[in-house]
Amino acid sequence: MEQLLLLITNNFNFNWMHYLVRNLEDTSDLKPDPPYESWKEFWEDKTQMKADKCSHCKCKENIVGAHVEMAFGDNNYYIIPLCKKCNKFTGDFFVETKLVRTNKK
């Protein structure tokens, strides 16, 4: 189903896409390379957007740059804006955002 959703959004060239992702575990000690001081700042620079709301629940409280991976068919790691509550989810969940790939895991 997520592949169909991605196909539809890609065909219409939307800025925001829907993805089924899962949080990566044990990433809180990882730091982005300079000049970035946080993963949130890294995401904002790469997307040229403000990370002012959670990509899952849309709240505007305690937003961080979270490490996620796609739930199916992708072995890459990404940074997205999530609130601290959603950053603790253990299962798969949908987000609406731009994914920024990172090699840090």
Side-chain angles (χ1 to χ4, degrees), residues 9-83:
T9 55
N10 280 336
N11 284 341
F12 288 100
N13 204 17
F14 292 151
N15 279 336
W16 294 93
M17 296 205 186
H18 295 84
Y19 299 97
L20 185 61
V21 300
R22 67 177 62 106
N23 284 312
L24 296 176
E25 297 179 10
D26 301 322
T27 60
S28 39
D29 289 338
L30 297 177
K31 304 295 179 220
D33 292 332
Y36 307 108
E37 295 187 20
S38 72
W39 289 109
K40 180 179 170 182
E41 181 185 350
F42 173 82
W43 185 89
E44 289 177 334
D45 182 63
K46 299 299 182 185
T47 63
Q48 294 297 296
M49 301 175 75
K50 184 78 174 145
D52 57 356
K53 67 180 177 180
C54 178
S55 301
H56 177 67
C57 73
K58 307 301 181 217
C59 80
K60 296 185 177 192
E61 305 284 324
N62 301 312
I63 306 302
V64 299
H67 287 79
V68 298
E69 64 183 348
M70 299 290 283
F72 300 103
D74 190 333
N75 292 321
N76 295 307
Y77 306 122
Y78 301 95
I79 302 298
I80 63 169
L82 288 178
C83 67

Coordinates of all heavy atoms in Angstrom, one line a residue, residues 9-83:
T9 N 1.9 10.1 -5.0 CA 2.4 11.4 -4.7 C 3.6 11.8 -5.6 O 3.8 12.9 -5.9 CB 2.9 11.4 -3.2 OG1 3.8 10.4 -2.9 CG2 1.7 11.3 -2.2
N10 N 4.4 10.8 -6.0 CA 5.5 11.1 -6.9 C 5.0 11.6 -8.3 O 5.5 12.5 -8.8 CB 6.4 9.9 -7.1 CG 7.4 9.7 -6.0 OD1 7.7 10.6 -5.3 ND2 7.8 8.5 -5.8
N11 N 3.9 11.0 -8.7 CA 3.3 11.4 -10.0 C 2.8 12.8 -10.0 O 2.7 13.5 -11.0 CB 2.2 10.4 -10.5 CG 2.9 9.2 -11.0 OD1 4.0 9.1 -11.3 ND2 2.1 8.1 -11.0
F12 N 2.3 13.3 -8.8 CA 1.7 14.6 -8.7 C 2.8 15.6 -8.2 O 2.5 16.8 -8.0 CB 0.5 14.6 -7.8 CG -0.7 14.0 -8.5 CD1 -1.0 12.7 -8.2 CD2 -1.4 14.6 -9.5 CE1 -2.1 12.0 -8.8 CE2 -2.5 14.0 -10.1 CZ -2.8 12.7 -9.8
N13 N 4.0 15.2 -7.9 CA 5.1 16.1 -7.6 C 4.8 16.9 -6.4 O 5.0 18.1 -6.3 CB 5.4 17.0 -8.8 CG 6.8 17.5 -8.7 OD1 7.6 17.0 -8.0 ND2 7.1 18.5 -9.5
F14 N 4.2 16.3 -5.3 CA 4.0 17.0 -4.1 C 5.3 17.3 -3.3 O 6.2 16.5 -3.4 CB 3.0 16.2 -3.2 CG 1.6 16.1 -3.6 CD1 0.9 15.0 -3.3 CD2 1.1 17.1 -4.4 CE1 -0.4 14.9 -3.8 CE2 -0.2 17.0 -4.9 CZ -1.0 15.8 -4.5
N15 N 5.4 18.3 -2.5 CA 6.5 18.6 -1.7 C 6.6 17.5 -0.6 O 7.7 17.1 -0.2 CB 6.5 20.0 -1.1 CG 6.9 21.0 -2.0 OD1 7.7 20.7 -3.0 ND2 6.5 22.2 -1.8
W16 N 5.5 17.2 0.0 CA 5.5 16.3 1.2 C 5.0 14.9 0.7 O 4.1 14.8 -0.1 CB 4.5 16.8 2.2 CG 5.0 18.1 2.8 CD1 4.6 19.4 2.4 CD2 5.9 18.3 3.9 NE1 5.3 20.3 3.2 CE2 6.1 19.6 4.1 CE3 6.6 17.4 4.7 CZ2 6.9 20.2 5.1 CZ3 7.4 17.9 5.7 CH2 7.6 19.3 5.8
M17 N 5.7 13.9 1.2 CA 5.3 12.6 0.9 C 5.0 11.8 2.2 O 5.4 12.1 3.2 CB 6.5 11.9 0.2 CG 6.8 12.5 -1.1 SD 7.6 11.4 -2.2 CE 8.0 12.4 -3.6
H18 N 4.2 10.7 2.0 CA 3.8 9.8 3.1 C 4.7 8.6 3.0 O 4.9 8.0 1.9 CB 2.4 9.4 3.0 CG 1.4 10.6 3.1 ND1 1.1 11.4 2.1 CD2 0.8 11.0 4.2 CE1 0.3 12.3 2.5 NE2 0.0 12.1 3.8
Y19 N 5.3 8.2 4.2 CA 6.1 7.0 4.2 C 5.7 6.2 5.5 O 5.4 6.8 6.5 CB 7.6 7.4 4.4 CG 8.1 8.3 3.2 CD1 8.2 9.6 3.3 CD2 8.6 7.6 2.1 CE1 8.7 10.4 2.3 CE2 9.1 8.4 1.1 CZ 9.2 9.8 1.2 OH 9.7 10.5 0.1
L20 N 5.9 4.9 5.3 CA 5.8 4.0 6.5 C 7.2 3.8 7.0 O 8.0 3.2 6.3 CB 5.1 2.7 6.1 CG 4.7 1.7 7.2 CD1 3.8 2.4 8.2 CD2 4.1 0.5 6.6
V21 N 7.4 4.2 8.2 CA 8.8 4.1 8.8 C 8.8 3.5 10.2 O 7.7 3.2 10.7 CB 9.4 5.5 8.9 CG1 9.5 6.2 7.5 CG2 8.7 6.4 9.9
R22 N 10.0 3.2 10.7 CA 10.1 2.8 12.1 C 11.3 3.5 12.6 O 12.3 3.8 11.9 CB 10.2 1.3 12.2 CG 11.5 0.7 11.6 CD 11.6 -0.8 11.8 NE 10.5 -1.5 11.2 CZ 10.6 -2.2 10.1 NH1 11.7 -2.4 9.5 NH2 9.5 -2.8 9.6
N23 N 11.3 3.8 13.9 CA 12.4 4.4 14.6 C 13.6 3.5 14.7 O 13.4 2.3 14.9 CB 12.0 4.9 16.0 CG 11.1 6.1 16.0 OD1 11.5 7.1 15.3 ND2 10.0 6.1 16.7
L24 N 14.8 4.0 14.6 CA 16.0 3.2 14.9 C 16.3 3.3 16.4 O 16.1 4.3 17.0 CB 17.2 3.8 14.1 CG 17.0 3.7 12.6 CD1 18.2 4.4 11.9 CD2 16.9 2.3 12.1
E25 N 16.8 2.2 16.9 CA 17.2 2.1 18.3 C 18.6 2.6 18.6 O 19.4 2.4 17.7 CB 16.9 0.7 18.8 CG 15.5 0.3 18.8 CD 15.3 -1.2 19.2 OE1 16.3 -1.7 19.8 OE2 14.2 -1.7 19.1
D26 N 18.8 3.0 19.8 CA 20.2 3.4 20.2 C 20.9 4.4 19.4 O 22.1 4.2 19.0 CB 21.0 2.1 20.4 CG 20.4 1.1 21.3 OD1 19.9 1.5 22.3 OD2 20.5 -0.1 21.0
T27 N 20.2 5.5 19.0 CA 20.9 6.5 18.2 C 21.1 7.8 18.9 O 21.6 8.7 18.4 CB 20.0 6.8 16.9 OG1 18.7 7.2 17.4 CG2 19.9 5.5 16.1
S28 N 20.7 7.9 20.2 CA 20.8 9.2 20.9 C 22.2 9.7 21.1 O 22.4 10.8 21.3 CB 20.0 9.1 22.2 OG 20.2 7.9 22.9
D29 N 23.2 8.8 21.1 CA 24.6 9.2 21.2 C 25.2 9.7 19.9 O 26.3 10.2 19.9 CB 25.4 8.0 21.8 CG 25.1 7.8 23.2 OD1 24.6 8.7 23.9 OD2 25.4 6.6 23.7
L30 N 24.5 9.4 18.8 CA 25.1 9.8 17.5 C 24.9 11.4 17.3 O 23.9 11.9 17.6 CB 24.3 9.1 16.4 CG 24.4 7.6 16.3 CD1 23.6 7.1 15.2 CD2 25.9 7.2 16.2
K31 N 26.0 11.9 16.8 CA 26.0 13.4 16.5 C 26.3 13.6 15.0 O 27.0 12.9 14.4 CB 27.1 14.1 17.4 CG 27.0 13.8 18.8 CD 25.7 14.4 19.4 CE 25.7 14.2 20.9 NZ 24.3 13.8 21.4
P32 N 25.6 14.6 14.5 CA 25.9 15.0 13.1 C 27.3 15.6 12.9 O 27.9 16.1 13.9 CB 24.8 16.0 12.7 CG 24.5 16.6 14.0 CD 24.7 15.5 15.1
D33 N 27.8 15.5 11.7 CA 29.2 16.1 11.5 C 29.0 17.6 11.5 O 28.0 18.1 11.2 CB 29.7 15.6 10.1 CG 30.0 14.1 10.1 OD1 30.4 13.6 11.1 OD2 29.9 13.5 9.0
P34 N 30.1 18.3 11.8 CA 30.1 19.7 11.8 C 29.8 20.2 10.4 O 30.1 19.5 9.4 CB 31.6 20.1 12.1 CG 32.1 18.9 12.9 CD 31.4 17.7 12.3
P35 N 29.1 21.3 10.2 CA 28.9 22.3 11.2 C 27.6 22.2 12.0 O 27.2 23.1 12.7 CB 28.8 23.6 10.3 CG 28.1 23.1 9.1 CD 28.7 21.7 8.9
Y36 N 26.9 21.0 11.8 CA 25.6 20.9 12.5 C 25.8 20.5 13.9 O 26.6 19.7 14.3 CB 24.8 19.8 11.7 CG 24.7 20.0 10.3 CD1 25.4 19.3 9.4 CD2 24.0 21.1 9.8 CE1 25.4 19.5 8.0 CE2 23.9 21.4 8.4 CZ 24.6 20.6 7.5 OH 24.5 20.8 6.2
E37 N 24.9 21.2 14.8 CA 25.0 20.9 16.2 C 23.8 19.9 16.6 O 23.8 19.4 17.7 CB 24.9 22.2 17.0 CG 26.1 23.0 16.8 CD 26.1 24.3 17.7 OE1 25.4 24.3 18.7 OE2 26.8 25.2 17.3
S38 N 22.9 19.7 15.7 CA 21.8 18.8 16.0 C 21.3 18.1 14.7 O 21.5 18.7 13.6 CB 20.6 19.5 16.7 OG 20.0 20.3 15.8
W39 N 20.6 17.0 14.9 CA 20.0 16.4 13.7 C 18.8 17.2 13.1 O 18.6 17.2 11.9 CB 19.6 14.9 14.0 CG 20.7 14.0 14.2 CD1 21.2 13.5 15.4 CD2 21.6 13.6 13.2 NE1 22.3 12.7 15.2 CE2 22.6 12.8 13.8 CE3 21.7 13.8 11.8 CZ2 23.6 12.2 13.1 CZ3 22.8 13.2 11.1 CH2 23.7 12.4 11.8
K40 N 18.2 17.9 14.0 CA 17.1 18.8 13.6 C 17.7 19.9 12.7 O 17.2 20.2 11.6 CB 16.4 19.4 14.8 CG 15.3 20.4 14.4 CD 14.7 20.9 15.7 CE 13.7 22.0 15.5 NZ 13.1 22.6 16.7
E41 N 18.8 20.5 13.1 CA 19.5 21.5 12.3 C 19.9 20.9 10.9 O 19.8 21.5 9.9 CB 20.7 22.1 13.0 CG 21.4 23.1 12.3 CD 22.7 23.6 13.1 OE1 22.9 23.2 14.3 OE2 23.5 24.3 12.5
F42 N 20.5 19.7 10.9 CA 20.9 19.0 9.8 C 19.7 18.8 8.8 O 19.8 19.2 7.6 CB 21.4 17.6 10.2 CG 21.8 16.7 9.0 CD1 23.0 16.8 8.4 CD2 20.9 15.7 8.7 CE1 23.3 15.9 7.3 CE2 21.2 14.8 7.6 CZ 22.4 14.9 7.0
W43 N 18.5 18.4 9.3 CA 17.3 18.2 8.4 C 16.9 19.6 7.8 O 16.6 19.7 6.7 CB 16.2 17.6 9.2 CG 15.0 17.3 8.4 CD1 14.7 16.1 7.7 CD2 13.9 18.1 8.2 NE1 13.5 16.2 7.1 CE2 13.0 17.4 7.3 CE3 13.5 19.4 8.6 CZ2 11.8 18.0 6.9 CZ3 12.4 20.0 8.2 CH2 11.5 19.3 7.3
E44 N 16.9 20.6 8.7 CA 16.5 21.9 8.2 C 17.4 22.4 7.1 O 16.9 23.0 6.1 CB 16.4 22.9 9.4 CG 15.3 22.6 10.3 CD 15.3 23.6 11.5 OE1 16.3 24.1 11.9 OE2 14.2 23.8 12.1
D45 N 18.7 22.2 7.2 CA 19.6 22.7 6.2 C 19.4 21.9 4.9 O 19.4 22.5 3.8 CB 21.0 22.6 6.7 CG 22.0 23.1 5.7 OD1 22.0 24.3 5.4 OD2 22.8 22.3 5.2
K46 N 19.3 20.6 5.0 CA 19.2 19.8 3.8 C 17.9 20.0 3.1 O 17.8 19.9 1.8 CB 19.4 18.3 4.1 CG 20.7 18.0 4.7 CD 21.9 18.3 3.8 CE 23.2 17.9 4.4 NZ 24.3 18.3 3.6
T47 N 16.8 20.3 3.8 CA 15.5 20.5 3.1 C 15.2 22.0 2.9 O 14.2 22.3 2.2 CB 14.4 19.9 4.0 OG1 14.3 20.6 5.3 CG2 14.6 18.4 4.2
Q48 N 15.9 22.9 3.5 CA 15.6 24.3 3.5 C 14.2 24.6 4.0 O 13.5 25.4 3.5 CB 15.8 24.8 2.0 CG 17.3 24.8 1.6 CD 18.2 25.7 2.4 OE1 18.0 26.9 2.5 NE2 19.1 25.1 3.2
M49 N 13.8 23.8 5.0 CA 12.5 24.0 5.7 C 12.7 24.0 7.2 O 13.7 23.6 7.7 CB 11.6 22.8 5.3 CG 11.4 22.6 3.8 SD 10.5 21.2 3.4 CE 8.9 21.7 3.9
K50 N 11.7 24.6 7.8 CA 11.7 24.6 9.3 C 11.1 23.4 9.9 O 10.0 23.0 9.5 CB 11.0 25.9 9.7 CG 11.0 26.1 11.2 CD 12.3 26.7 11.6 CE 12.3 27.1 13.1 NZ 13.5 26.9 13.7
A51 N 11.8 22.7 10.8 CA 11.2 21.6 11.5 C 10.4 22.0 12.7 O 10.8 22.0 13.8 CB 12.4 20.6 11.9
D52 N 9.2 22.5 12.4 CA 8.4 23.1 13.5 C 7.2 22.3 13.9 O 6.4 22.7 14.8 CB 7.9 24.5 13.1 CG 7.1 24.5 11.8 OD1 7.0 23.4 11.2 OD2 6.6 25.6 11.4
K53 N 7.1 21.1 13.3 CA 6.0 20.2 13.7 C 6.4 18.7 13.5 O 7.2 18.4 12.6 CB 4.7 20.5 13.0 CG 4.7 20.2 11.5 CD 3.3 20.5 10.9 CE 3.4 20.3 9.4 NZ 2.2 20.6 8.8
C54 N 5.8 17.8 14.3 CA 6.1 16.4 14.2 C 5.5 15.9 12.9 O 4.4 16.2 12.4 CB 5.4 15.7 15.4 SG 5.6 13.9 15.4
S55 N 6.3 15.0 12.2 CA 6.0 14.4 10.9 C 4.9 13.4 11.1 O 4.3 13.0 10.1 CB 7.2 13.8 10.3 OG 8.2 14.7 10.1
H56 N 4.6 12.9 12.3 CA 3.6 11.9 12.5 C 2.3 12.6 13.1 O 1.3 12.6 12.5 CB 4.1 10.8 13.4 CG 3.0 9.8 13.7 ND1 2.5 9.0 12.8 CD2 2.4 9.5 14.9 CE1 1.6 8.2 13.3 NE2 1.5 8.5 14.6
C57 N 2.4 13.1 14.3 CA 1.2 13.6 15.0 C 0.9 15.1 14.7 O -0.2 15.6 15.1 CB 1.2 13.3 16.5 SG 2.4 14.3 17.4
K58 N 1.8 15.8 14.1 CA 1.7 17.2 13.7 C 1.7 18.2 14.9 O 1.4 19.3 14.8 CB 0.4 17.5 12.9 CG 0.2 16.6 11.7 CD 1.4 16.7 10.8 CE 1.2 15.9 9.5 NZ 2.4 15.3 9.1
C59 N 2.0 17.7 16.1 CA 2.2 18.6 17.3 C 3.4 19.4 17.1 O 4.3 19.2 16.2 CB 2.2 17.8 18.6 SG 3.8 17.1 19.0
K60 N 3.5 20.5 17.9 CA 4.7 21.4 17.7 C 5.5 21.5 19.0 O 6.2 22.4 19.2 CB 4.1 22.8 17.4 CG 3.4 22.8 16.1 CD 3.0 24.2 15.7 CE 2.4 24.2 14.3 NZ 2.2 25.5 13.7
E61 N 5.4 20.4 19.8 CA 6.1 20.3 21.1 C 7.4 19.4 21.0 O 7.3 18.3 20.5 CB 5.2 19.7 22.2 CG 3.9 20.4 22.3 CD 4.0 21.7 23.1 OE1 4.8 21.8 24.0 OE2 3.3 22.7 22.7
N62 N 8.5 19.9 21.5 CA 9.7 19.1 21.6 C 10.1 18.4 20.4 O 10.3 17.1 20.4 CB 9.5 18.1 22.8 CG 9.2 18.7 24.1 OD1 9.9 19.7 24.5 ND2 8.2 18.3 24.8
I63 N 10.3 19.1 19.3 CA 10.7 18.5 18.0 C 12.2 18.2 17.9 O 13.0 19.1 18.3 CB 10.3 19.4 16.8 CG1 8.8 19.8 16.9 CG2 10.6 18.8 15.5 CD1 7.8 18.6 16.9
V64 N 12.5 17.0 17.5 CA 13.9 16.6 17.4 C 14.1 16.0 16.0 O 13.2 15.7 15.3 CB 14.3 15.5 18.4 CG1 14.1 16.0 19.8 CG2 13.5 14.2 18.2
G65 N 15.4 15.9 15.6 CA 15.7 15.2 14.3 C 15.9 13.7 14.7 O 16.8 13.3 15.4
A66 N 14.9 12.9 14.2 CA 14.9 11.5 14.6 C 15.5 10.6 13.5 O 15.3 10.9 12.3 CB 13.4 11.1 14.9
H67 N 16.1 9.5 13.9 CA 16.6 8.5 13.0 C 15.5 7.5 12.7 O 15.0 6.9 13.7 CB 17.8 7.8 13.6 CG 19.1 8.6 13.7 ND1 19.3 9.6 14.6 CD2 20.2 8.6 12.9 CE1 20.5 10.1 14.4 NE2 21.0 9.5 13.4
V68 N 15.2 7.3 11.4 CA 14.2 6.3 11.1 C 14.8 5.5 9.9 O 15.7 5.8 9.2 CB 12.9 6.9 10.7 CG1 12.3 7.6 11.9 CG2 13.0 7.8 9.5
E69 N 14.1 4.4 9.6 CA 14.3 3.6 8.4 C 12.9 3.3 7.8 O 11.9 3.3 8.5 CB 15.1 2.3 8.7 CG 14.4 1.3 9.6 CD 15.2 0.1 9.9 OE1 16.2 -0.1 9.2 OE2 14.8 -0.7 10.8
M70 N 12.9 3.0 6.5 CA 11.7 2.6 5.9 C 11.2 1.3 6.4 O 12.1 0.4 6.7 CB 11.9 2.5 4.4 CG 12.3 3.8 3.7 SD 11.0 5.1 3.7 CE 10.0 4.4 2.3
A71 N 9.9 1.1 6.5 CA 9.4 -0.2 7.1 C 9.6 -1.3 6.1 O 9.8 -2.5 6.5 CB 7.9 0.0 7.4
F72 N 9.6 -1.0 4.8 CA 9.8 -2.1 3.8 C 10.7 -1.7 2.6 O 10.7 -0.5 2.2 CB 8.4 -2.4 3.1 CG 7.4 -2.9 4.1 CD1 6.4 -2.0 4.5 CD2 7.5 -4.2 4.6 CE1 5.5 -2.5 5.4 CE2 6.5 -4.6 5.5 CZ 5.5 -3.8 5.9
G73 N 11.6 -2.6 2.2 CA 12.3 -2.4 1.0 C 13.4 -1.4 0.9 O 13.7 -1.0 -0.2
D74 N 14.0 -0.9 2.0 CA 15.0 0.1 1.9 C 16.0 -0.2 3.1 O 15.5 -0.3 4.2 CB 14.3 1.5 2.0 CG 15.3 2.6 1.7 OD1 16.5 2.4 1.9 OD2 14.8 3.7 1.3
N75 N 17.2 -0.1 2.8 CA 18.2 -0.3 3.8 C 19.0 0.9 4.2 O 20.1 0.9 4.7 CB 19.3 -1.4 3.4 CG 18.6 -2.8 3.3 OD1 17.8 -3.1 4.1 ND2 19.0 -3.5 2.3
N76 N 18.3 2.1 3.9 CA 19.0 3.4 4.3 C 18.4 3.9 5.6 O 17.4 3.5 6.1 CB 18.7 4.4 3.1 CG 19.3 3.9 1.8 OD1 20.5 3.7 1.8 ND2 18.6 3.9 0.8
Y77 N 19.1 4.9 6.1 CA 18.7 5.5 7.4 C 18.4 7.0 7.1 O 19.1 7.6 6.2 CB 19.8 5.4 8.4 CG 20.2 4.0 8.7 CD1 21.5 3.6 8.5 CD2 19.3 3.1 9.1 CE1 21.9 2.3 8.7 CE2 19.7 1.7 9.3 CZ 21.0 1.4 9.1 OH 21.3 0.1 9.4
Y78 N 17.4 7.5 7.7 CA 17.0 8.9 7.4 C 16.8 9.7 8.7 O 16.5 9.1 9.8 CB 15.6 8.8 6.7 CG 15.7 8.1 5.4 CD1 15.4 6.7 5.3 CD2 16.1 8.7 4.2 CE1 15.4 6.0 4.1 CE2 16.2 8.0 3.0 CZ 15.9 6.6 3.0 OH 15.9 5.9 1.8
I79 N 16.8 11.0 8.5 CA 16.5 12.0 9.6 C 15.1 12.6 9.2 O 15.0 13.0 8.0 CB 17.5 13.0 9.8 CG1 18.9 12.4 10.0 CG2 17.1 14.0 10.8 CD1 19.0 11.6 11.3
I80 N 14.2 12.7 10.2 CA 13.0 13.4 10.0 C 12.6 14.1 11.3 O 13.1 13.7 12.4 CB 11.8 12.4 9.6 CG1 11.5 11.4 10.7 CG2 12.1 11.7 8.3 CD1 10.3 10.6 10.6
P81 N 11.8 15.1 11.2 CA 11.4 15.8 12.5 C 10.2 15.0 13.1 O 9.2 14.7 12.5 CB 10.8 17.2 12.0 CG 10.7 17.1 10.5 CD 11.4 15.9 10.0
L82 N 10.4 14.7 14.4 CA 9.4 14.0 15.2 C 9.4 14.7 16.6 O 10.4 15.2 17.0 CB 9.7 12.5 15.4 CG 9.6 11.6 14.2 CD1 10.0 10.1 14.7 CD2 8.2 11.5 13.7
C83 N 8.3 14.6 17.3 CA 8.2 15.0 18.7 C 8.9 13.9 19.5 O 9.0 12.8 19.0 CB 6.8 15.3 19.1 SG 5.7 13.9 19.2

